[in-house]
Amino acid sequence: MRARLLFLFLLSSFASFIAARPVVRNIQSAHEFDRLLQKHGTETGLPVVVDFYSDSCGPCRMMAPIFKKVAADYVDRAVFVKVDTNAQYELSGRYQIRSLPTFQWFIAGKQVQTEVGGIGEQGLRHHTDGILRRAEIENVVITLEALEEFYQKADPSKTDVASVLKKCADMTKAKGLCAGSAANQLARKLRKKYGSMPKMIPRFSGEPPKPETTEEPPTQSSSSSSKQQTANLHLATLEELQAELEKRQDQLRDEMVEAEDANEDEADPDFTPWTPKSYPERVVIIGGGPAGLAAALYCARAGLDPLVIAPILGGGQLQGKGVVVENYPGLIGESTTGPEIVSKMRKQAAHFGAFFEDDVVVAVDASQRPFKVQTNATGTIETHTIIVATGAESNWLGIPGEWELRGGGVSSCATCDGFLYSNRHVVVVGGGDAAMEDALVLARTSQSVTVVHRRDRFRASKVLADRVLSHPAITVRWNTVLQEIVGKELPTEDKSDSDVDLDQIPKVVTGVVLQSTESGETEELACDAVFVAIGHTPITGFLKDVVEFDPAYPGYLATVGTSTQTSVKGIFAAGDVADPTYRQAITSAGSGAAAALDAERYLSENGLGNEAAELEAELLAELMGNDDATKSSSSYNVYEDAGGRVHGVKESVTGGEL
């Protein structure tokens, strides 16, 4: 008992300041999360935005800075928190997290919306704005006095007014209050019946409550009171001591939570924000995978200030590889997973002067020069050259249940979602390298992995195929295809108010229907998740009727000879969009470098330089014309001594081309 009292005393002495609410709060326990929902559901009325993530998930890591950026813009209007699903199993199970990243929004402690996957900055803002409008609508309360006053005018014969208010209060989580959606529902019913409705007042004022303080002037009475309270601790029961300890731990956690925010990655000084210019860009690179980033690096080192347009979640197929990349020369060790390699590529390109814009290209106008690149959000960007490096997107089976159960067990990213199915039965569909890698990733945590392949042998590399075939947790079903993915609706908590979205009822995978390609017989196999890895299709639809496609390989761009030049001069193709044969990260990076060299050569041959720098030089020459005329012809010029090439050179003494 004395040890408990001493511990309580030490905890009480830690409180030295009241920390402000951080931009993004990292949840450390289910108890902390419940307390946060209760606080903002009953005291502040602020909506809570939750990011369920994992450090091993590439899209999660790419969404992290976006989540923090949006949180900073909404800091006074919503509460943003992160939940690590690897550490918080209870919360992951309670809120049925089946895919990562998953974003959920809460109002008054109640989950009201869920979005799965990399929704991007625009999606996150859009959904948050909608939740804020809903929170504003639900920030109302009907008091007993207001309801009695209403009935006195609308229906004086009504005597059981208190029972009406109680029914309304029972529909909400607010104890004894007719508030939120229940209050709005009651008001609508009364207006429909009587033509008017009771007066509703704001439940929350919008001002954050002032923190309670226990500081008092150092008077003798307060001192004696404190001594008396300390002296009475030995009279407390064990339950009371445990409750007091939990209370003080919560207080200590609140005071120290700001320090957690420092764990978030700070903005990298190498990344310079892109701003539209009055002159066309010299190089626009569409795509952020190995090909696009290699092109960005080479163009940046050539002083071309390239602009990379790609979603911040876009890192190509390499972004989704959770296994260690073993076949990229020079990369050895545990820190060589796909997301880490992509992150280092972006950092390196940015360090040498590449700019990045988080957007998606929807069209290209090559009918005039300079080219016009139309994006989804930024608008139209003019450029002298374009390097297309958009890569490829996952193919899907197109069978019943596949679309309906995405986010509920159907996925194309084992690295992102695999650990959510720890100690469960999962199915992988495919026979190439991607399917083998997914099966090996899943075998680390899943109880069993069944690989379904339509042929009698894998087309994957021998090393990966042998690993799969020899793994004790992996079973292979040869000459078999999927006919259907079976699922069920999960039971939802009882919602007595009217805001029930039937489309939001969660569904999860319970099994698959298999069919033999030899006998045609079907059978159902129970499983908890299905990972589809059956290849990819080039993302080139926005170039239809702009450049020529390879007639032998639908969707792939045709290039001229051994170069990266497409049928339109000034537009170049790199990576998987023009490579139906090899489709490797290293070959994509190599073609990205080649495209950058081709683009640089094209700009030089056509005299397309830096218009802004040239205009600045002309103006400077005019201003200094008189001075130049009086200069001695024997004066020393450091630029001539350097060989005339100054702009774009960013090399150390030891640095250089490889």
Side-chain angles (χ1 to χ4, degrees):
M1 179 63 73
R2 294 184 64 181
R4 292 195 192 96
L5 295 176
L6 178 60
F7 184 49
L8 286 172
F9 174 77
L10 291 174
L11 278 177
S12 63
S13 65
F14 281 143
S16 59
F17 66 96
I18 301 297
R21 177 164 59 85
V23 175
V24 177
R25 177 168 181 161
N26 291 304
I27 298 299
Q28 300 296 323
S29 67
H31 168 71
E32 180 188 355
F33 185 72
D34 294 338
R35 191 168 56 86
L36 180 138
L37 289 182
Q38 181 182 12
K39 174 182 178 181
H40 294 292
T42 59
E43 297 180 15
T44 69
L46 295 176
V48 177
V49 186
V50 186
D51 174 13
F52 290 91
Y53 75 101
S54 167
D55 288 330
S56 63
C57 166
C60 298
R61 294 171 61 182
M62 301 298 284
M63 276 297 297
I66 295 178
F67 191 76
K68 186 175 182 180
K69 176 184 177 182
V70 175
D73 294 339
Y74 290 83
V75 68
D76 295 325
R77 294 178 288 165
V79 179
F80 286 71
V81 301
K82 294 173 71 71
V83 175
D84 185 351
T85 51
N86 283 327
Q88 306 303 326
Y89 295 107
E90 180 181 345
L91 293 176
S92 302
R94 181 196 303 176
Y95 295 106
Q96 302 163 358
I97 305 304
R98 306 286 179 177
S99 183
L100 293 179
T102 291
F103 300 92
Q104 292 186 349
W105 288 260
F106 293 78
I107 297 178
K110 181 178 64 176
Q111 176 190 341
V112 295
Q113 186 170 345
T114 299
E115 295 294 331
V116 177
I119 59 178
E121 180 177 346
Q122 295 179 4
L124 185 59
R125 290 183 183 276
H126 171 74
H127 294 303
T128 302
D129 286 337
I131 294 300
L132 287 173
R133 289 191 293 269
R134 179 170 174 177
E136 183 179 359
I137 294 173
E138 295 188 6
N139 182 27
V140 293
V141 61
I142 298 177
T143 63
L144 179 60
E145 293 77 10
L147 196 59
E148 289 176 340
E149 181 181 351
F150 168 78
Y151 274 114
Q152 286 177 2
K153 297 178 180 179
D155 188 0
S157 62
K158 189 73 172 180
T159 57
D160 54 343
V161 178
S163 64
V164 176
L165 189 71
K166 183 177 183 304
K167 289 181 181 179
C168 174
D170 290 342
M171 295 172 62
T172 68
K173 292 185 178 182
K175 297 180 180 179
L177 287 179
C178 176
S181 59
N184 284 316
Q185 182 180 355
L186 175 60
R188 288 193 297 267
K189 290 181 178 179
L190 293 176
R191 181 171 58 183
K192 183 177 180 180
K193 183 175 181 179
Y194 297 106
S196 61
M197 61 183 185
K199 179 181 179 182
M200 294 187 292
I201 61 175
R203 182 183 177 189
F204 306 103
S205 63
E207 298 179 0
K210 297 180 179 179
E212 297 181 0
T213 176
T214 57
E215 296 181 1
E216 297 180 2
T219 61
Q220 185 174 357
S221 60
S222 63
S223 177
S224 61
S225 174
S226 177
K227 289 180 180 179
Q228 181 68 24
Q229 182 180 4
T230 304
N232 288 336
L233 282 176
H234 69 282
L235 301 177
T237 65
L238 180 60
E239 290 76 13
E240 291 172 338
L241 286 173
Q242 289 175 336
E244 180 66 18
L245 176 60
E246 187 176 85
K247 176 182 178 182
R248 297 196 184 190
Q249 286 176 328
D250 289 342
Q251 181 183 3
L252 182 64
R253 170 69 176 148
D254 287 340
E255 292 169 356
M256 299 179 65
V257 71
E258 191 175 41
E260 298 174 8
D261 197 43
N263 293 332
E264 293 288 341
D265 293 334
E266 297 296 332
D268 194 320
D270 285 331
F271 285 87
T272 304
W274 176 79
T275 55
K277 304 178 180 65
S278 57
Y279 293 93
E281 300 289 337
R282 281 174 288 178
V283 181
V284 164
I285 300 169
I286 307 175
L293 295 176
L297 173 62
Y298 270 68
C299 287
R301 283 175 52 83
L304 299 179
D305 301 329
L307 171 61
V308 181
I309 304 177
I312 198 168
L313 298 177
Q317 298 171 42
L318 187 61
Q319 180 71 50
K321 292 187 180 294
V323 295
V324 173
V325 178
E326 300 175 333
N327 58 355
Y328 202 104
L331 299 181
I332 304 175
E334 295 297 326
S335 61
T336 57
T337 61
E340 290 168 332
I341 295 174
V342 171
S343 177
K344 291 177 181 178
M345 286 180 172
R346 284 174 57 89
K347 182 177 177 64
Q348 186 180 16
H351 174 72
F352 284 100
F355 296 89
F356 291 84
E357 182 69 5
D358 177 19
D359 209 339
V360 176
V361 173
V362 295
V364 170
D365 182 3
S367 62
Q368 53 185 325
R369 304 299 175 100
F371 301 123
K372 295 183 183 297
V373 178
Q374 184 67 39
T375 65
N376 185 48
T378 309
T380 301
I381 300 173
E382 293 187 341
T383 179
H384 291 306
T385 61
I386 298 173
I387 296 177
V388 182
T390 45
E393 58 186 354
S394 299
N395 292 334
W396 294 95
L397 298 167
I399 60 176
E402 182 181 46
W403 175 259
E404 296 83 353
L405 291 165
R406 288 192 196 180
V410 176
S411 172
S412 62
C413 182
T415 304
C416 307
D417 305 330
F419 77 95
L420 295 172
Y421 302 93
S422 299
N423 300 317
R424 299 187 184 183
H425 303 280
V426 299
V427 169
V428 175
V429 185
D433 284 351
M436 301 300 101
E437 291 172 347
D438 284 359
L440 292 171
V441 168
L442 293 166
R444 299 172 185 169
T445 55
S446 301
Q447 182 175 345
S448 69
V449 179
T450 301
V451 178
V452 178
H453 187 43
R454 59 181 176 174
R455 297 188 176 92
D456 59 358
R457 71 175 70 180
F458 291 135
R459 53 186 174 82
S461 63
K462 186 178 186 303
V463 172
L464 288 175
D466 288 346
R467 289 180 185 175
V468 168
L469 293 173
S470 62
H471 201 291
I474 301 177
T475 302
V476 180
R477 299 292 298 267
W478 303 105
N479 301 310
T480 305
V481 295
L482 261 67
Q483 288 294 311
E484 181 182 358
I485 301 177
V486 183
K488 68 176 182 179
E489 294 182 355
L490 287 177
T492 56
E493 61 181 33
D494 184 22
K495 298 181 180 180
S496 52
D497 47 359
S498 59
D499 299 323
V500 177
D501 188 353
L502 297 178
D503 293 331
Q504 290 290 329
I505 297 177
K507 303 174 183 177
V508 296
V509 171
T510 58
V512 293
V513 177
L514 303 178
Q515 183 180 39
S516 170
T517 58
E518 296 177 331
S519 64
E521 296 180 354
T522 61
E523 63 173 302
E524 186 168 333
L525 175 67
C527 65
D528 300 290
V530 178
F531 294 88
V532 181
I534 58 171
H536 299 79
T537 299
I539 306 173
T540 54
F542 64 96
L543 290 173
K544 183 180 179 181
D545 300 327
V546 177
V547 298
E548 293 182 3
F549 287 74
D550 190 334
Y553 300 97
Y556 289 88
L557 303 182
T559 56
V560 178
T562 59
S563 72
T564 62
Q565 173 73 58
T566 66
S567 59
V568 176
K569 293 184 177 181
I571 299 181
F572 307 89
D576 287 359
V577 296
D579 177 18
T581 304
Y582 302 107
R583 295 175 295 184
Q584 299 293 307
I586 188 169
T587 56
S588 293
S591 66
L597 295 173
D598 287 344
E600 183 182 8
R601 185 179 299 109
Y602 172 84
L603 291 171
S604 299
E605 291 175 351
N606 289 273
L608 300 172
N610 188 338
E611 287 94 335
E614 292 171 359
L615 177 59
E616 182 180 351
E618 291 177 3
L619 293 176
L620 184 62
E622 291 179 4
L623 292 174
M624 301 183 65
N626 294 332
D627 293 338
D628 291 341
T630 60
K631 285 185 178 180
S632 171
S633 60
S634 62
S635 60
Y636 176 71
N637 189 331
V638 67
Y639 299 107
E640 293 178 356
D641 194 40
R645 182 174 182 265
V646 177
H647 180 72
V649 176
K650 194 172 185 180
E651 301 174 356
S652 63
V653 175
T654 58
E657 303 287 350
L658 293 178

